[in-house]
């Protein structure tokens, strides 16, 4: 190595060391008495509860759901969506974890469920709705929708939706399969995102195309639960066994380099000469962690398309090394079908910000304990029939014992976030929680990711009596 090369290397090492020391001293300062002021319990509660939402239902297999999210990135790259289908009896709930910015996750959280809801309407009925000028939003009744699209981009999205809906009217009801319906909605929306950016390039369409998002959508209709997923969000079912113990049943697989089957699938789609370059450093082409995602067309478009459309705006570095045989990334979801029983008590769906800190079993235990403890947040009510003083005494004794397990939060998603950030083997530690919520914006991403959670509660009595 020449003296010039050694000097450049030494300068780079010195710069890296300075960056590491600066981040290290900032982080350790947060864990010592001389660090920034600690948040009070009131401050912590305000932060944790800012984005929580609870929705109740009457009739059907779902009693209610709790949802919440906590940002790490600014702006947050996670999105969520929950809605009832207007023309069918299903409930849709989604978690969308963006990367490379929030644009893609925000857009698909608005559009994907509309594609799915329209796909579930019988073709003849759908044809009538389309003829009557139905808009995409008319297929859903959203429960916590705060995102808004600009008029121009909304018009573009409506045009794409109507093209898709018109094609659906030519299908046959006899050929309906839920797996195929969900898969088609995911893939078609991804194709529309690509086409919109190619045919009508703008700041908005290209920002969606160059960012990406993993997505998980659960559809619940009576006892039928379908989960469709691309990427590394996860769904876990909380079930009670015959002996009264909690059991966690995972309904999804992460599409990343830890999934051997997923790696084999990806390698089989490219020449053997690329075996060492398709995945490098546990990432797709050495860059992207999820091996399936929506958007991210820099890993899907041809090299010619990238050179014409993307390189002039974003530079040559947008084309990944060893980009030889695209597409490398798929938006095809993996789908699981589960028939709910009275033993299935709740479903947890969440972005990987939660699963980075907790196992599936830990989350199920926490939500199960929260279910039990939450009952004691309600006022004590006596039964209408005659009751003895001894029975009242027993009720009060039980309530006194239960009050010790009374949770701080009514919302189970908030309860999970609190434990994810402040949990220890002795319970939630306020100082740890305060530190995690006080991290400066320039280093917080080193310690935690965006967290988005939805907990869905099932009606055991309904599931006990409904036909499958």
């Amino acid at each position: 190595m020449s003296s010039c090369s050694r000097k450049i290397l030494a300068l780079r090492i010195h710069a890296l060391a300075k960056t590491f020391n600066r981040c290290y001293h900032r982080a350790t300062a947060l864990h010592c008495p001389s660090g920034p002021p600690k948040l009070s319990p009131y401050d912590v509660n305000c932060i944790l509860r800012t984005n929580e939402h609870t929705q109740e239902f009457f009739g059907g297999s779902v009693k209610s759901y709790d949802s919440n999210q906590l940002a790490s990135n600014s702006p947050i790259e996670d999105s969520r969506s929950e809605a009832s289908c207007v023309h069918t009896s299903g409930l849709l709930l989604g978690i969308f974890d963006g990367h490379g910015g929030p644009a893609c996750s925000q857009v698909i959280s608005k559009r994907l469920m509309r594609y799915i809801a329209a796909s579930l309407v019988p073709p003849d009925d759908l044809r009538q709705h389309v003829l009557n000028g139905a808009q995409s939003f008319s297929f859903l009744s959203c429960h916590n929708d705060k995102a808004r699209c600009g008029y121009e981009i909304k018009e573009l999205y409506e045009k794409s939706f109507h093209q898709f809906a018109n094609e659906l009217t030519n299908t046959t009801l006899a050929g309906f399969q839920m797996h195929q319906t969900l898969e088609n909605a995911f893939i078609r929306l991804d194709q529309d995102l690509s086409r919109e950016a190619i045919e009508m390039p703008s700041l908005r369409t290209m920002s969606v195309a160059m960012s990406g998002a993993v997505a998980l959508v659960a559809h619940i209709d009576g006892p039928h639960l379908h989960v469709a997923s691309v990427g590394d969000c996860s769904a876990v079912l909380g079930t009670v066994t015959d002996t009264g113990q909690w059991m966690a049943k995972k309904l999804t697989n992460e599409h990343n380099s830890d999934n051997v089957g997923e790696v084999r699938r990806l390698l089989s789609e490219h020449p053997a000469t690329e075996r060492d370059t398709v995945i490098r450093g546990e990432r797709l082409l050495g860059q992207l962690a999820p091996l399936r995602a929506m958007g991210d067309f820099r890993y899907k478009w041809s090299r010619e398309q990238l050179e014409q459309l993307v390189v002039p705006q974003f530079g040559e570095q947008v084309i990944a090394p060893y980009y030889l045989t695209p597409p490398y990334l798929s938006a095809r979801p993996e789908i699981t079908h589960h028939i709910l029983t009275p033993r299935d008590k709740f479903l947890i769906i969440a972005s990987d910000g939660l699963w980075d800190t907790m196992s599936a079993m830990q989350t199920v235990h926490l939500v199960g304990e929260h279910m039990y403890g939450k009952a004691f947040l309600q006022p004590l009510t006596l039964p209408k029939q005659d009751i003895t003083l001894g029975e009242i005494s027993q009720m009060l004794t039980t309530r006194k014992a239960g009050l010790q397990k009374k949770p701080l939060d009514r919302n189970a998603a908030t309860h999970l976030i609190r434990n994810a950030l402040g949990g220890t083997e002795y319970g939630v530690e306020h100082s740890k929680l305060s530190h995690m919520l006080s991290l400066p914006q320039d280093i917080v991403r080193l310690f935690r990711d965006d967290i988005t959670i939805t907990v869905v509660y099932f009606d055991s009595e309904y599931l006990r009596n409904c036909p499958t």
Side-chain angles (χ1 to χ4, degrees), residues 114 129 132-140 154 158 161-162:
R114 298 177 182 185
H129 291 308
N132 291 337
Q135 300 292 296
S136 64
F137 61 82
S138 66
F139 288 85
L140 289 175
K154 180 180 177 182
E158 282 298 319
F161 174 83
H162 276 275

Side-chain angles (χ1 to χ4, degrees), residues 74-378:
S74 181
I76 188 171
E77 293 183 338
D78 280 8
S79 295
R80 55 180 168 165
S81 188
E82 307 98 33
S84 296
C85 298
V86 171
H87 303 296
T88 60
S89 54
L91 175 68
L92 287 163
L93 308 109
I95 302 285
F96 310 93
D97 185 352
H99 47 262
C104 187
S105 70
Q106 289 176 354
V107 166
I108 64 174
S109 72
K110 294 285 290 184
R111 300 178 67 185
L112 180 57
M113 289 186 172
R114 298 177 182 185
Y115 277 51
I116 294 172
S119 302
L120 298 174
V121 179
D124 289 343
D125 293 345
L126 180 60
R127 185 177 298 109
Q128 195 59 48
H129 291 308
V130 172
L131 288 173
N132 291 337
Q135 300 292 296
S136 64
F137 61 82
S138 66
F139 288 85
L140 289 175
S141 175
C142 296
H143 302 300
N144 185 32
D145 187 10
K146 298 176 182 176
R148 294 290 180 269
C149 291
Y151 176 77
E152 290 184 5
I153 204 73
K154 180 180 177 182
E155 195 173 53
L156 172 63
Y157 293 165
E158 282 298 319
K159 183 179 178 181
S160 294
F161 174 83
H162 276 275
Q163 289 176 350
F164 175 55
N166 277 314
E167 292 175 21
L168 289 174
T169 62
N170 296 320
T171 60
T172 60
L173 186 60
F176 176 84
Q177 290 185 351
M178 191 64 179
H179 281 65
Q180 192 64 49
T181 297
L182 290 170
E183 184 176 293
N184 287 345
F186 271 73
I187 293 174
R188 177 51 181 266
L189 176 56
D190 199 57
Q191 290 172 344
D192 283 350
L193 296 177
S194 172
R195 179 183 50 78
E196 290 159 2
I198 292 172
E199 295 180 359
M200 288 150 285
S202 67
L203 179 62
R204 180 63 169 169
T205 58
M206 288 303 293
S207 66
V208 172
M210 289 300 99
S211 60
V214 299
L216 184 152
V217 175
H219 177 265
I220 306 167
D221 191 354
H224 295 281
L225 166 63
H226 288 84
V227 177
S229 174
V230 291
D232 52 11
C233 294
S234 294
V236 174
L237 197 63
T239 302
V240 175
T241 66
D242 291 336
T243 58
Q245 303 298 309
W246 285 109
M247 180 176 71
K249 180 175 182 179
K250 200 167 180 189
L251 301 178
T252 51
N253 296 306
E254 291 82 17
H255 301 130
N256 55 33
S257 61
D258 293 330
N259 183 334
V260 176
E262 185 68 7
V263 171
R264 287 174 178 163
R265 176 198 65 79
L266 183 58
L267 292 177
S268 72
E269 296 173 356
H270 299 275
T273 52
E274 294 186 65
R275 189 172 186 84
D276 296 328
T277 58
V278 170
I279 297 178
R280 294 185 299 122
E282 300 182 344
R283 290 173 174 261
L284 181 70
L285 297 175
Q287 295 183 347
L288 190 67
L291 303 184
R292 299 192 203 190
M294 302 187 74
D296 283 319
F297 295 106
R298 57 181 295 195
Y299 305 109
K300 297 174 182 175
W301 286 343
S302 69
R303 178 177 280 272
E304 290 72 25
Q305 286 175 309
L306 291 176
E307 288 174 345
Q308 292 173 13
L309 294 167
V310 184
V311 169
Q313 294 185 56
F314 297 90
E316 289 285 348
Q317 70 276 6
V318 78
I319 303 179
Y322 306 102
Y323 196 80
L324 305 173
T325 56
Y328 289 92
L329 193 62
S330 172
R332 187 180 303 278
E334 187 172 358
I335 299 165
T336 301
H337 176 215
H338 176 82
I339 297 179
L340 296 166
T341 74
R343 295 192 182 283
D344 299 321
K345 302 302 179 183
F346 53 81
L347 173 72
I348 305 168
I349 60 174
S351 59
D352 66 341
L354 175 67
W355 311 113
D356 287 343
T357 63
M358 283 187 177
S359 68
M361 197 67 240
Q362 285 175 310
T363 62
V364 166
H365 273 300
L366 282 167
V367 175
E369 291 172 359
H370 185 266
M371 279 179 62
Y372 175 72
K374 192 166 63 170
F376 296 97
L377 293 173
Q378 306 299 326

